Amino acid sequence: MTSTTTTWAYPSSAHGSRRAGVPPRGGAATLRLTRRGRLVLVLLVVAVALLAVRAGVAVAGAPGEPVEVRVHVVTAGETLWGHAQQLAGPGDDVRDVVARLAELNGLSSSGLVTGQRLLLPVEP
């Protein structure tokens, strides 16, 4: 059986001699991480994994009951309060009905504009 020995020849340097048996920088040296380097690498992998998991997640509230609605075109003088009074049942607070109508229609205020399409729940 033959054995092979590798000898490294280093050019002389003004910075002193190099350690014997250490390959030059361009050689096939293995990567060695310090304890801190390994910790940073592990934390980076965990952070990327958590971001990848969260990227495909969508969170929604509980589904509400479906509401049958009709489309109403607002005419001059109509108010959300007036529609809420018509829709409110006995014992219902008209303010709560106004809030539900605003939520149903995605309104940020209770003001209506002539020609606006309004979704109104169908009365039972």
Side-chain angles (χ1 to χ4, degrees):
M1 182 183 237
T2 8
S3 67
T4 307
T5 308
T6 305
T7 306
W8 300 99
Y10 296 104
S12 61
S13 159
H15 300 293
S17 63
R18 297 187 183 230
R19 294 186 318 193
V22 177
R25 290 188 181 218
T30 59
L31 177 65
R32 296 182 65 134
L33 292 175
T34 62
R35 192 176 291 176
R36 183 186 306 168
R38 285 189 298 270
L39 177 65
V40 168
L41 184 62
V42 167
L43 291 176
L44 182 64
V45 168
V46 169
V48 169
L50 288 175
L51 287 174
V53 168
R54 293 251 333 144
V57 174
V59 179
E65 294 181 24
V67 177
E68 187 178 353
V69 295
R70 62 182 171 88
V71 178
H72 174 75
V73 178
V74 176
T75 59
E78 289 184 339
T79 63
L80 201 58
W81 185 268
H83 287 291
Q85 284 179 322
Q86 291 175 356
L87 293 170
D92 286 343
D93 188 348
V94 177
R95 293 173 293 188
D96 292 337
V97 179
V98 169
R100 284 195 303 265
L101 287 176
E103 182 182 3
L104 179 65
N105 288 282
L107 302 174
S108 58
S109 71
S110 60
L112 299 178
V113 179
T114 302
Q116 179 179 1
R117 294 180 186 271
L118 194 62
L119 297 176
L120 299 174
V122 175
E123 297 178 52

